[in-house]
Coordinates of all heavy atoms in Angstrom, one line a residue:
G207 N 249.8 183.2 60.3 CA 248.9 182.8 59.3 C 248.1 181.5 59.6 O 247.2 181.1 58.9
G208 N 248.6 180.8 60.7 CA 248.0 179.6 61.1 C 246.7 179.8 62.0 O 246.3 181.0 62.2
S209 N 246.2 178.7 62.5 CA 245.0 178.7 63.3 C 245.1 177.9 64.5 O 245.9 177.0 64.6 CB 243.8 178.2 62.4 OG 243.5 178.9 61.3
L210 N 244.3 178.3 65.5 CA 244.2 177.5 66.8 C 242.8 177.7 67.2 O 242.1 178.7 67.0 CB 245.1 178.1 67.9 CG 246.6 177.8 67.8 CD1 247.4 178.5 68.9 CD2 246.9 176.3 67.9
R211 N 242.3 176.7 68.0 CA 241.0 176.8 68.6 C 241.2 176.6 70.1 O 241.6 175.5 70.5 CB 240.0 175.8 68.0 CG 238.6 176.0 68.6 CD 237.5 175.1 68.0 NE 237.4 173.9 68.6 CZ 236.3 173.1 68.7 NH1 235.2 173.6 68.1 NH2 236.3 172.0 69.3
L212 N 240.8 177.5 70.9 CA 240.9 177.4 72.3 C 239.5 177.0 72.8 O 238.5 177.3 72.3 CB 241.2 178.8 72.9 CG 242.5 179.5 72.5 CD1 242.7 180.8 73.2 CD2 243.7 178.6 72.6
S213 N 239.6 176.2 73.9 CA 238.3 175.8 74.6 C 238.4 176.2 76.1 O 239.5 176.2 76.7 CB 238.2 174.2 74.5 OG 238.1 173.8 73.2
C214 N 237.3 176.4 76.6 CA 237.1 176.7 78.0 C 236.0 175.9 78.6 O 234.8 176.2 78.2 CB 237.0 178.2 78.3 SG 236.6 178.7 80.0
A215 N 236.3 175.0 79.4 CA 235.2 174.1 80.0 C 234.9 174.6 81.4 O 235.8 174.8 82.2 CB 235.7 172.7 80.0
A216 N 233.6 174.7 81.7 CA 233.1 175.2 83.0 C 232.6 174.0 83.8 O 232.0 173.1 83.2 CB 232.1 176.2 82.8
S217 N 232.7 174.1 85.1 CA 232.3 172.9 85.9 C 230.9 173.0 86.4 O 230.3 172.0 86.8 CB 233.3 172.8 87.1 OG 233.2 174.0 87.9
G218 N 230.3 174.2 86.4 CA 229.0 174.4 87.1 C 227.8 174.0 86.3 O 228.0 173.6 85.1
S219 N 226.7 174.2 86.9 CA 225.5 173.7 86.3 C 224.7 174.9 85.7 O 223.6 174.7 85.2 CB 224.6 173.0 87.3 OG 224.3 173.8 88.4
V220 N 225.2 176.1 85.8 CA 224.4 177.3 85.3 C 225.2 178.0 84.2 O 225.1 179.2 84.0 CB 224.1 178.3 86.5 CG1 223.2 177.7 87.4 CG2 225.4 178.7 87.1
F221 N 226.0 177.2 83.5 CA 226.8 177.8 82.4 C 226.0 178.6 81.5 O 226.5 179.7 81.0 CB 227.5 176.6 81.7 CG 228.3 177.1 80.5 CD1 229.6 177.6 80.7 CD2 227.8 177.0 79.2 CE1 230.3 178.1 79.6 CE2 228.6 177.5 78.1 CZ 229.8 178.0 78.3
N222 N 224.8 178.2 81.1 CA 224.1 178.9 80.1 C 223.6 180.3 80.6 O 223.1 181.1 79.8 CB 222.9 178.1 79.6 CG 221.9 177.7 80.7 OD1 222.2 178.0 81.8 ND2 220.8 177.1 80.3
S223 N 223.8 180.6 81.9 CA 223.4 181.9 82.4 C 224.6 182.9 82.4 O 224.4 184.1 82.6 CB 222.9 181.7 83.9 OG 221.8 180.9 83.9
Y224 N 225.8 182.4 82.1 CA 227.0 183.2 82.2 C 227.2 184.0 80.9 O 227.0 183.5 79.8 CB 228.2 182.4 82.5 CG 228.3 181.9 83.9 CD1 228.3 180.5 84.1 CD2 228.5 182.7 84.9 CE1 228.5 180.0 85.4 CE2 228.6 182.2 86.2 CZ 228.6 180.8 86.4 OH 228.7 180.4 87.7
Y225 N 227.7 185.2 81.1 CA 228.3 185.9 80.0 C 229.8 185.4 80.0 O 230.4 185.4 81.0 CB 228.4 187.4 80.2 CG 227.1 188.1 80.0 CD1 226.0 188.0 80.8 CD2 226.9 188.8 78.8 CE1 224.8 188.6 80.6 CE2 225.6 189.5 78.5 CZ 224.6 189.4 79.4 OH 223.4 190.0 79.1
M226 N 230.2 185.0 78.8 CA 231.5 184.4 78.7 C 232.4 185.2 77.8 O 231.9 185.8 76.8 CB 231.4 183.0 78.1 CG 230.6 182.0 78.9 SD 231.3 181.7 80.5 CE 232.9 181.0 80.1
S227 N 233.7 185.3 78.2 CA 234.6 186.1 77.4 C 236.0 185.5 77.4 O 236.3 184.7 78.2 CB 234.6 187.6 77.9 OG 234.8 187.6 79.3

Side-chain angles (χ1 to χ4, degrees):
S209 297
L210 284 174
R211 188 175 85 151
L212 306 183
S213 299
C214 172
S217 62
S219 60
V220 293
F221 175 81
N222 60 354
S223 297
Y224 287 117
Y225 282 77
M226 300 298 299
S227 51

